[in-house]
Amino acid sequence: MKRLLVVLTVTAVLALGAGAFAFGPGWFGGMMGGGYGMMGRGMMGGYGMGPGMMGWAGGYGYDQRFLDETKDLRRQLQEKQFEYFEALRDPKTSPEVLTGLQKEITELQQKIYQKTPRTAQRGGVFGSPCWY
């Protein structure tokens, strides 16, 4: 009976370990690599921080044109988001004000989205889906 318990325990530990290994990195591996953490696609490497942003676009002039065309909209969006988070921080702010700011932010985001190059909306130059 003891031998069966030991065998089942070892098997369970190995199965959990194999599952964790197959699932992928956790803790710091998830934060620093794989494109999902702070340094990946989420915050610093994501929205607005591509090769076209830094002038490395090469033959992709439409990125620069998009950034030039949406400069004022992106500035308004950033200011509106700052205003929203400051209002959210203030306990005296009414829910109606927050709802109005959220609506304005959504409208600005939609205007920017309408101006994006069609290749960016499909997930790449070749139209392949973006899975990360």
Side-chain angles (χ1 to χ4, degrees):
M1 188 62 141
K2 287 184 184 180
R3 177 177 259 173
L4 178 64
L5 184 61
V6 168
V7 169
L8 287 176
T9 303
V10 169
T11 305
V13 168
L14 288 175
L16 288 173
F21 180 75
F23 183 71
W27 199 247
F28 288 107
M31 283 177 49
M32 298 299 185
Y36 295 106
M38 288 179 57
M39 302 306 259
R41 302 241 178 248
M43 295 180 63
M44 296 184 190
Y47 181 73
M49 293 302 291
M53 185 74 165
M54 303 306 248
W56 305 321
Y60 302 108
Y62 60 85
D63 289 336
Q64 189 61 44
R65 185 174 56 231
F66 165 72
L67 293 174
D68 291 340
E69 290 175 357
T70 59
K71 179 177 142 184
D72 293 331
L73 287 173
R74 290 182 293 115
R75 180 175 289 136
Q76 291 173 10
L77 177 62
Q78 185 176 6
E79 290 171 357
K80 197 57 68 177
Q81 286 174 336
F82 178 78
E83 185 179 340
Y84 171 75
F85 285 117
E86 284 298 307
L88 189 63
R89 190 176 63 88
D90 185 11
K92 297 177 185 174
T93 305
S94 68
E96 293 82 18
V97 171
L98 292 175
T99 304
L101 289 171
Q102 287 174 342
K103 182 179 178 186
E104 292 175 26
I105 288 171
T106 302
E107 289 171 356
L108 286 170
Q109 288 172 335
Q110 289 174 348
K111 287 179 184 177
I112 292 171
Y113 178 76
Q114 290 172 353
K115 293 182 181 269
T116 57
R118 296 297 167 223
T119 55
Q121 291 178 1
R122 283 191 304 248
V125 176
F126 302 109
S128 61
C130 179
W131 298 110
Y132 51 89

